[in-house]
């Protein structure tokens, strides 16, 4: 039996789909004052209000995020501050809301009431206690559970980027950092780093 020679189109190799970039960005500035001193119980209440609050009025997203959103699949967490950030950046583009991107918890240690500091200081203290000692209350996410969630988030973002899509995540500072560390372990490289401030993010590309 005579075999038919492959056509030119059949003989050409199929080029692999280039993986898209992943940008992890923090939300805008929330409308909740930090110019106060709090006990540990006071900070616990403050953080609860922070979690359900929106953005401070009058903010404009930076051009770099708006431009990134113009050619990206956009994900955001279910927290109001992330939702409002995504809407401001997307300018009507489709959005994908997913609770997998919510911030890791910040339960403060039970310090005596004479110890009063501002929310920023409490955030550092609480994050250290949560990370170093896995300090969390009943029903709150543990450090190891958050690590699992970060791996799941990285799985989802990698799968979407593997289709050739650029991906923009509008979420929260520390959990974005956890996802970024997971991407780095998988061979992604941070090619643009604007830090962890409001409206700032980091871009990851596959090596």
């Amino acid at each position: 039996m005579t075999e038919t020679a492959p056509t030119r189109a059949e003989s050409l190799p199929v080029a692999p789909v280039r993986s898209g970039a992943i940008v992890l960005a923090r939300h805008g500035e929330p409308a909740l004052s930090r110019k106060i001193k709090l006990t540990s119980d006071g900070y616990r209440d403050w953080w609860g209000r922070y979690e359900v609050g929106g953005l401070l009025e009058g903010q404009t997203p930076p051009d770099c995020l708006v431009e990134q959103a113009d050619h990206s699949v956009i994900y955001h967490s279910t927290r109001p501050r992330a939702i409002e950030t995504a809407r401001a950046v997307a300018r009507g583009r489709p959005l994908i809301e997913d609770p997998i991107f919510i911030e890791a918890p910040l339960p403060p240690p039970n310090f005596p009431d004479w110890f009063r500091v501002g929310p920023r200081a409490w955030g550092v203290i609480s994050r250290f206690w949560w990370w170093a000692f896995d300090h969390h209350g009943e029903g709150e996410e543990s450090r190891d559970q958050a690590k699992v969630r970060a791996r799941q988030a990285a799985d989802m973002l990698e799968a979407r980027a593997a289709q050739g899509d650029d991906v923009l995540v509008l979420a929260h500072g520390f959990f974005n950092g956890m996802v970024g560390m997971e991407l780095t372990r998988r061979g992604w490289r941070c090619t643009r780093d604007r830090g962890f401030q409001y409206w700032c993010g980091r871009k990851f590309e596959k090596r």
Side-chain angles (χ1 to χ4, degrees):
M1 179 182 294
T2 303
E3 295 183 0
T4 303
T7 65
R8 180 175 175 80
E10 290 174 339
S11 61
L12 291 175
V14 178
V17 176
R18 181 181 179 277
S19 182
I22 298 173
V23 176
L24 305 174
R26 192 182 181 193
H27 55 76
E29 182 178 357
L32 190 59
S33 175
R34 285 180 164 82
K35 297 177 180 179
I36 50 176
K37 301 292 185 181
L38 301 165
T39 64
S40 59
D41 286 340
Y43 178 71
R44 191 174 289 107
D45 176 71
W46 186 93
W47 177 255
R49 288 183 285 120
Y50 184 89
E51 283 282 76
V52 299
L55 296 183
L56 186 67
E57 293 184 0
Q59 298 180 71
T60 301
D63 291 341
C64 60
L65 276 186
V66 174
E67 292 167 2
Q68 184 69 46
D70 284 343
H71 57 82
S72 298
V73 177
I74 306 169
Y75 290 88
H76 63 84
S77 91
T78 55
R79 297 297 189 242
R81 60 194 186 277
I83 294 171
E84 292 180 19
T85 298
R87 289 173 179 170
V89 168
R91 300 188 301 183
R93 288 177 57 83
L95 299 171
I96 304 172
E97 181 176 297
D98 199 312
I100 199 170
F101 297 111
I102 64 172
E103 182 60 293
L106 270 176
N110 296 316
F111 285 3
D113 285 349
W114 58 260
F115 186 87
R116 292 172 177 261
V117 294
R120 291 186 189 278
W122 270 121
V124 173
I125 294 167
S126 300
R127 182 62 70 209
F128 174 77
W129 246 253
W130 180 80
W131 186 262
F133 307 120
D134 199 15
H135 169 75
H136 62 281
E138 184 177 353
E140 290 181 310
E141 185 178 45
S142 70
R143 178 196 59 208
D144 289 343
Q145 288 170 333
K147 287 181 177 180
V148 171
R149 180 161 62 92
R151 290 195 292 270
Q152 293 170 340
D155 288 342
M156 183 170 66
L157 297 176
E158 274 196 310
R160 191 61 188 254
Q163 299 175 32
D165 296 321
D166 286 341
V167 181
L168 172 62
V169 179
L170 297 161
H172 310 274
F174 195 82
F175 190 72
N176 277 358
M178 293 180 68
V179 176
M181 287 190 292
E182 182 61 31
L183 291 174
T184 300
R185 280 194 287 268
R186 299 179 184 200
W188 291 74
R189 182 168 57 93
C190 183
T191 58
R192 187 181 68 212
D193 189 345
R194 292 197 166 95
F196 295 90
Q197 300 301 312
Y198 301 128
W199 299 107
C200 293
R202 296 179 301 152
K203 182 177 183 179
F204 292 84
E205 295 182 273
K206 195 70 172 179
R207 291 175 178 171

